[in-house]
Amino acid sequence: MKKFFALLFIFCFGMTGLSHTDEANFRKKCQTCHKRVLGEWDAAKVVHFPYAEGSCESCHSSKHKKFTGEINELCLICHDLDDAVLKKSHFNANVEGVACTSCHYTHGSDRKAMFKESVHEPFSSGMCDACHEVTPEGKLKQLDGMNDICLTCHDGIVAKDEKVIHPAFEMLECTNCHNPHTSPDIKLLKKPVSEVCFECHEPMVAKKHPYDVTPSKKIIKNEALFAHGGHVTCVSCHKPHASKLPVLLKESIDNRELCYKCHKK
């Protein structure tokens, strides 16, 4: 089996014409800026074979931020959509045209199949029919009324006494903010929380209070409040879906109750 994968790798990536010295130089060039993230990938429990072999050029062009082809095309050089094992791992769904990187990392991950950190339970359990139907062509189609489907499980995100509803929650789809399959961020957010908020909200308004910063322990009493990588974010003070208070505040600003949730008196 190991010989098979070795031959497969040579077939897929051996046509680049780069020697081991060239490959090392290519990686060294990447390390100039990406040393930290390369270290994280090196230490990952599951490492993508081309990356483990140092073959950055199999997907990346020597020109910065350029690829040698479309992402899915690169994946399909080695991963055959008709392969029985691949089909089974995707619950026999037709995933043609689905972006591989919407669920998988490309270099390394601590989760099986190089999944991103947050994985939606229905997705990991193969409950595709909870949100999708199969078309006559065998492709998955999202069911209508997705927000109602989400709320069959997530019915507690708005309490009965929370009368201030976020317009985004009322007017948009849950999937405008959340990835329904996997995500590198908690709560399956599509992007870091502040980036999600600033797709609608003006960043300059938020500058009334620092955000996306790591607060000093000298002024903060409760670090557990900062779930998003230890940073102050929009949801440190605001609830994302609904609240009892104006502007979706978590606590009243009367007598600085909200402030004292984090700051020492």
Side-chain angles (χ1 to χ4, degrees), residues 2-23:
K2 288 184 178 179
K3 288 183 178 179
F4 169 76
F5 281 113
L7 289 170
L8 178 64
F9 180 78
I10 291 169
F11 175 77
C12 293
F13 304 112
M15 301 303 291
T16 58
L18 292 184
S19 66
H20 289 297
T21 302
D22 291 330
E23 288 175 354

Side-chain angles (χ1 to χ4, degrees), residues 19 58 129 135 180:
S19 66
S58 60
D129 57 353
T135 68

Side-chain angles (χ1 to χ4, degrees), residues 20-243:
H20 289 297
T21 302
D22 291 330
E23 288 175 354
N25 289 337
F26 197 110
R27 181 181 171 86
K28 190 174 181 179
K29 185 178 180 181
C30 300
Q31 286 178 322
T32 305
C33 299
H34 305 292
K35 186 175 182 179
R36 181 187 62 79
V37 72
L38 288 173
E40 291 176 359
W41 292 333
D42 289 341
K45 293 178 181 177
V46 182
V47 180
H48 199 196
F49 189 66
Y51 174 74
E53 292 294 311
S55 295
C56 307
E57 79 292 341
S58 60
C59 299
H60 298 276
S61 165
S62 58
K63 294 181 180 179
H64 191 229
K65 294 186 178 180
K66 297 290 184 181
F67 295 95
T68 55
E70 294 294 327
I71 296 296
N72 274 21
E73 290 177 2
L74 294 173
C75 298
L76 295 178
I77 291 173
C78 287
H79 301 282
D80 183 0
L81 291 181
D82 293 323
D83 178 71
V85 175
L86 187 143
K87 279 188 170 183
K88 184 178 180 181
S89 66
H90 290 83
F91 313 109
N92 294 312
N94 184 341
V95 293
E96 184 179 358
V98 177
C100 306
T101 53
S102 62
C103 296
H104 303 278
Y105 279 130
T106 52
H107 297 86
S109 170
D110 285 337
R111 300 187 69 97
K112 67 177 184 178
M114 296 202 301
F115 280 143
K116 297 177 180 180
E117 285 80 356
S118 298
V119 181
H120 199 195
E121 180 62 29
F123 170 70
S124 62
S125 302
M127 298 167 56
C128 306
D129 57 353
C131 303
H132 301 276
E133 62 181 351
V134 180
T135 68
E137 296 78 26
K139 292 192 174 184
L140 290 177
K141 178 186 175 185
Q142 184 176 290
L143 294 171
D144 294 330
M146 275 307 303
N147 279 14
D148 291 334
I149 293 172
C150 296
L151 292 174
T152 57
C153 292
H154 303 284
D155 57 339
I157 59 174
V158 175
K160 291 181 179 179
D161 57 351
E162 291 180 324
K163 304 301 182 185
V164 181
I165 309 296
H166 195 183
F169 178 68
E170 288 187 308
M171 300 166 61
L172 302 178
E173 296 283 335
C174 302
T175 51
N176 281 94
C177 299
H178 303 275
N179 188 315
H181 300 112
T182 72
S183 167
D185 289 286
I186 64 171
K187 305 297 183 182
L188 290 164
L189 288 173
K190 285 188 167 181
K191 301 176 182 178
V193 61
S194 297
E195 290 183 31
V196 173
C197 298
F198 294 150
E199 286 189 352
C200 296
H201 298 278
E202 177 55 54
M204 291 302 296
V205 175
K207 288 194 173 181
K208 293 178 181 178
H209 188 285
Y211 62 87
D212 288 344
V213 295
T214 302
S216 168
K217 293 181 181 179
K218 294 180 181 179
I219 60 171
I220 296 299
K221 68 177 183 179
N222 189 357
E223 294 177 72
L225 292 172
F226 307 116
H228 295 265
H231 301 320
V232 176
T233 67
C234 305
V235 295
S236 300
C237 299
H238 302 274
K239 300 188 77 172
H241 301 105
S243 173

